[in-house]
Amino acid sequence: MSGTEFVALRDILVRSEWFAKLLEAEDLSTFGNSIKVDGAYFIPRSPMTFQYVLNYLSDGQLQFFGALDRAHKVQFMDDAAFYSLILPVDQHLRGN
């Protein structure tokens, strides 16, 4: 298995309903191609924007969003929906 490895505290991940369910699940078949190996989870999503998902879960801020190019904004919004993130409805999310 290859990819980018991220390390995050459980307390941060469970701020997302998706991660909370993943961490409690016995059967990962409902989580697409996600697999667990030696206590680590492999989630086939883009590492380019996952860092922003973790940032948002950590501090609840979207300060990075304005600096992203359009492609990364679209990918982040897709990831936010995938991970069941509850984002604030703000102008900088709607505008670009």
Side-chain angles (χ1 to χ4, degrees), residues 14-82:
V14 298
R15 293 175 185 169
S16 156
E17 181 181 331
W18 189 90
F19 277 112
K21 289 178 180 178
L22 174 74
L23 296 173
E24 297 300 322
E26 296 291 325
D27 176 15
L28 297 183
S29 65
T30 60
F31 294 93
N33 294 328
S34 301
I35 58 173
K36 184 177 180 180
V37 178
D38 297 328
Y41 293 87
F42 174 76
I43 303 165
R45 300 292 291 181
S46 171
M48 298 290 287
T49 50
F50 188 68
Q51 63 186 323
Y52 302 119
V53 169
L54 287 179
N55 285 349
Y56 178 72
L57 289 173
S58 294
D59 63 18
Q61 302 293 314
L62 293 170
Q63 295 170 339
F64 59 84
F65 195 80
L68 299 179
D69 63 29
R70 180 161 171 62
H72 284 103
K73 286 179 181 180
V74 169
Q75 180 64 46
F76 173 77
M77 296 303 288
D78 186 49
D79 284 350
F82 179 85

